[in-house]
Amino acid sequence: MNAQCHSDGQHLDAVGAPPAPPAPTRAEPAQARRLAAPRRLTTLLLTALLMTVLLLAGCASRPPARDGPEARPPAGLERVPDAVPRVESLRTGGPNKPYEVFGRRYIPMAADLPLAETGLASWYGRKFHGQPTASGETYDMYAMTAAHKTMPIPSYARVRNPANGREVVVRINDRGPFADGRVIDLSYTAALRLDLLRGVAPVQVWRITHDEIRAGLGAPRAMPPELPPALLPTLPPDDPAPGDPVLASPGLWLQLGAFRDRDGAARLQQSVLREAGAAVTQVAVFEENALFRVQAGPYATRAEAQDAGEWVRRHLGIAPLVVERR
C-alpha cells in the first residue's frame, strides 16, 4: 500500500495510523523542568519591572497634596464668634498621653494649669478639613479651634496678634504644630480674624484655666483703643511715611518682621511705635530682596541691641533677630 499524506501533514503508515512517538526516557521530565525554570524567572522579573514602572508613573502624575483655603470660603467668616470657654473635664490618656513626632517626645499637661507662650502661629485648612483631630472630633476649618503640642485636650486659649492687637478665643482639640518655633496651629477662621492668613507670624498665647472660666475671665480682651493724634508718635519732617522704605544707617538693628507687601510692614511698624513708645527710638522699613523688613535701631553695641530685644520680646511678644548693617 502506498504511503498517504494526512491533511495535517503527518506521515501515515500503510494502515493509516501515525507512527508511534519514541518512548520517553526518565531524564526528559527533569531536563524540561530545567529549561522551563529560567523562562518562568524571566517572566516574573519582567512583570515586577512593569508594575514598578506603572506605579511610579501613577505617583508622578499626582501632584502632592497642598494645604490652603477652599476655592469659595463661606461669606461672613470675620463675624464668626469666639469659642465660648466652659469647664470640661481633662481626659486621661488618649490625646493627653505622651507621644513622639519626628523623633521628639512631647508630654501634654496633666493638670489645669495656666500657660503663656510667645512664638509663631500657623494655620491649617482644606487638606485636613473633615478629618479626625487628636480629640476624635472632626476638624472644621471654619470653627474657632486650634492645635497645640502640650495643652491638655480639651482646653481654651486666648491668642493675640501683637502686630494689630486683635485677639480671639479658640478651643484646643488637636495636636501640633511640629515645626520649630511654632506654638499654635490655628483654624482658617481663627487665622482670618487675627489677620494671619498671609503666613506664619508672631503671636501671644494664654491658656484659660477653669478658675478663670468660672470667674468669667475667659472672654478675649478688647482691642486697645486708637490713641488720639496728639499721643501718637510723630516722625521728624525728613522721615518717610510709615511703611515707606528708607536707607539703612550703619549699626545693629532688631528685625521685627518681614513682609511681602508694604501694608503689612506699615501696620507692624505703627503698632510697635504705638506700644513701645520711648523704649524703641526708631522703627524703619527696609526693602530688600522683594521683602519689606521692619527693623528697630540702630544700636551701638550688641549688648544694647540684645537688651532692647529682650524688652521687645517680653512686652510686645515678638522674638527679634539682631542684624548688622554697614
Side-chain angles (χ1 to χ4, degrees):
M1 182 181 296
N2 293 330
Q4 301 178 25
C5 184
H6 194 269
S7 60
D8 62 2
Q10 283 186 305
H11 184 73
L12 303 179
D13 62 11
V15 296
T25 64
R26 293 177 60 88
E28 285 182 347
Q31 181 180 7
R33 285 195 298 271
R34 286 195 299 272
L35 293 175
R39 289 197 297 269
R40 286 197 299 270
L41 179 59
T42 302
T43 301
L44 289 173
L45 291 174
L46 289 175
T47 302
L49 178 62
L50 179 61
M51 292 178 66
T52 302
V53 170
L54 292 175
L55 179 61
L56 292 175
C59 293
S61 65
R62 294 193 300 271
R66 300 187 64 181
D67 204 0
E70 291 187 318
R72 295 182 179 178
L77 292 177
E78 67 279 357
R79 297 187 297 275
V80 172
D82 291 312
V84 179
R86 57 191 181 93
V87 175
E88 300 183 60
S89 59
L90 304 182
R91 297 170 58 180
T92 57
N96 291 326
K97 65 183 180 182
Y99 63 98
E100 185 174 307
V101 176
F102 300 139
R104 183 176 298 180
R105 185 171 175 81
Y106 299 92
I107 302 178
M109 299 167 60
D112 178 39
L113 298 173
L115 175 67
E117 288 182 299
T118 297
L120 299 175
S122 51
W123 62 273
Y124 57 131
R126 69 172 186 269
K127 181 179 178 181
F128 301 93
H129 188 56
Q131 301 296 320
T133 63
S135 66
E137 302 169 1
T138 300
Y139 174 59
D140 182 356
M141 62 187 287
Y142 302 122
M144 295 296 289
T145 61
H148 192 275
K149 293 186 284 289
T150 57
M151 280 193 197
I153 289 179
S155 284
Y156 292 87
R158 186 168 61 246
V159 186
R160 181 176 185 266
N161 180 355
N164 55 26
R166 296 186 185 183
E167 286 191 8
V168 298
V169 172
V170 294
R171 186 172 186 269
I172 305 296
N173 67 350
D174 206 359
R175 290 294 177 218
F178 300 108
D180 288 340
R182 302 188 191 182
V183 296
I184 196 165
D185 217 359
L186 301 164
S187 69
Y188 175 85
T189 298
L192 170 70
R193 289 194 46 203
L194 289 171
D195 193 23
L196 295 178
L197 288 180
R198 286 186 292 272
V200 176
V203 295
Q204 297 164 299
V205 180
W206 299 270
R207 181 177 182 271
I208 303 171
T209 66
H210 291 177
D211 287 341
E212 290 174 321
I213 295 174
R214 294 186 184 98
L217 303 177
R221 295 175 294 192
M223 289 180 58
E226 293 293 332
L227 295 176
L231 299 180
L232 287 175
T234 57
L235 296 171
D238 294 336
D239 280 3
D244 286 348
V246 299
L247 295 176
S249 299
L252 296 168
W253 293 72
L254 297 177
Q255 179 160 305
L256 309 177
F259 300 81
R260 293 191 181 278
D261 63 289
R262 187 192 306 267
D263 291 342
R267 283 194 296 270
L268 177 58
Q269 180 189 30
Q270 291 174 313
S271 174
V272 172
L273 285 170
R274 182 172 59 247
E275 296 185 30
V280 176
T281 56
Q282 179 182 216
V283 181
V285 176
F286 302 107
E287 184 177 5
E288 298 170 335
N289 300 323
L291 289 176
F292 295 91
R293 303 179 187 274
V294 183
Q295 297 182 355
Y299 299 93
T301 66
R302 184 166 294 274
E304 291 180 6
Q306 290 173 341
D307 289 344
E310 180 62 21
W311 189 96
V312 168
R313 187 190 66 79
R314 289 199 311 267
H315 293 84
L316 303 184
I318 299 174
L321 176 68
V322 177
V323 297
E324 184 175 6
R325 293 187 171 278
R326 301 182 183 276

